[in-house]
Amino acid sequence: MVATMKKIAHLFGCWGLIYGLSFGIAHSARAAEHAFIFWYPGGGGNTAQAQPLLDQFAAYLGSKTSNVTWHAKYFGNVESGLQFARAGRPSFGIVSYLMYAQYGQALGMQRILTAVPLAHGKAEESWHFVEGQCDETPAPLIIYMSEPLTLAMIHQDFPNQKLERAGQPAKLQTTGNLLGMLKQIAAGSCHAAIVSEREWHGVSRTSWARDLHSTVSNTTHPAALVVRFTGATSESATKTEETLRGMSGNVQGKAILTELQLKGFE
């Protein structure tokens, strides 16, 4: 179970942030209910494996917000998270930057905080375009990534990077085994990968990283965002923000953050 939790926590750590589910507010005479969605495609594990840690997170929020019951769930792929966000009407969530950029407007997300990864301790992070030492140029170039970027995003962040080979545009491939793909690139595979700063933080310390070449993006992005959905009231958003900001200064809250591989929220 410990290994599983560390894998799930990879979402916010080496690459892996976990992601916060907000089930929509269901008002009752006694208590309101908030759903909190952790949505981070490319993270390890599944919803069931992540649940024990998320239950702790939800219980902590409940202990700090009177007359509110919290539920939290994690989704490690685009489709399941999108389905839940559309049907479940979450109130709040921690979502990856890419999910916010691609679906934030359509799903009514409003950014309230930035989640700060424990790995590098910064609110904003760069991406790395990683290649190996290879004289061949098989076409098309395959670019591996843990999250589903688009060619337009890559062109924007790496404007000087050549993404075509023999007139063919690069092929983007999302993988749950980015570490394995990077090892292949280091061993001579003539392809490339997009790696977040959290992921690169761990990879760069390996013995085989010397065989990799990294180009840093010309822009930075938040690793993950705390968002408020349309159903959440301003009052509940203010209280939730205060509670999350205070986690790093609370013994129990800090322990949960550490398991989530988070330093805190800004």
Side-chain angles (χ1 to χ4, degrees):
M1 178 60 71
V2 173
T4 297
M5 288 298 99
K6 288 184 177 179
K7 184 178 181 184
I8 303 301
H10 214 35
L11 308 171
F12 283 123
C14 283
W15 53 62
L17 239 242
I18 280 183
Y19 309 102
L21 285 166
S22 310
F23 293 60
I25 307 176
H27 292 286
S28 68
R30 293 185 177 181
E33 292 190 8
H34 288 312
F36 200 101
I37 177 172
F38 283 86
W39 189 16
Y40 206 96
N46 57 48
T47 302
Q49 291 171 325
Q51 202 57 53
L53 179 55
L54 298 189
D55 287 344
Q56 293 180 43
F57 176 81
Y60 179 85
L61 293 182
S63 71
K64 301 298 181 181
T65 51
S66 60
N67 208 36
V68 177
T69 300
W70 290 84
H71 307 276
K73 286 195 180 297
Y74 157 68
F75 297 98
N77 61 66
V78 175
E79 293 75 18
S80 60
L82 190 59
Q83 181 179 10
F84 179 84
R86 285 172 172 166
R89 295 186 299 277
S91 303
F92 298 95
I94 300 177
V95 302
S96 73
Y97 167 75
L98 287 178
M99 294 302 94
Y100 177 79
Q102 295 182 48
Y103 300 106
Q105 184 174 0
L107 294 174
M109 297 181 195
Q110 180 181 338
R111 175 178 178 174
I112 58 175
L113 289 171
T114 299
V116 181
L118 191 62
H120 53 65
K122 297 182 293 185
E124 298 273 327
E125 65 178 8
S126 303
W127 286 339
H128 294 252
F129 190 96
V130 181
E131 300 173 282
Q133 301 176 16
C134 182
D135 296 328
E136 300 179 12
T137 54
L141 168 67
I142 300 175
I143 304 176
Y144 299 100
M145 60 199 71
S146 58
E147 288 195 79
L149 284 80
T150 65
L151 276 175
M153 290 178 174
I154 297 174
H155 276 296
Q156 179 180 343
D157 277 47
F158 302 94
N160 299 321
Q161 195 69 47
K162 185 177 179 181
L163 302 179
E164 291 189 357
R165 287 181 178 175
Q168 298 184 47
K171 177 182 177 181
L172 307 183
Q173 185 166 319
T174 305
T175 175
N177 183 29
L178 186 59
L179 185 65
M181 296 300 102
L182 287 167
K183 286 182 177 180
Q184 289 184 23
I185 293 171
S189 168
C190 299
H191 295 292
I194 299 289
V195 182
S196 72
E197 190 167 348
R198 283 160 293 128
E199 295 165 334
W200 186 248
H201 182 82
V203 170
S204 63
R205 286 160 172 72
T206 64
S207 59
W208 44 268
R210 62 178 180 271
D211 296 318
L212 297 173
H213 171 71
S214 167
T215 300
V216 181
S217 60
N218 65 346
T219 57
T220 60
H221 306 280
L225 301 170
V226 180
V227 298
R228 162 192 174 187
F229 287 85
T230 306
T233 65
S234 297
E235 181 180 1
S236 63
T238 298
K239 182 58 179 177
T240 300
E241 179 180 343
E242 292 176 353
T243 301
L244 292 175
R245 284 185 182 276
M247 285 188 76
S248 60
N250 177 280
V251 174
Q252 181 187 5
K254 187 173 182 179
I256 294 172
L257 288 175
T258 299
E259 288 296 318
L260 292 172
Q261 291 296 297
L262 284 173
K263 179 181 178 182
F265 301 97
E266 295 182 0

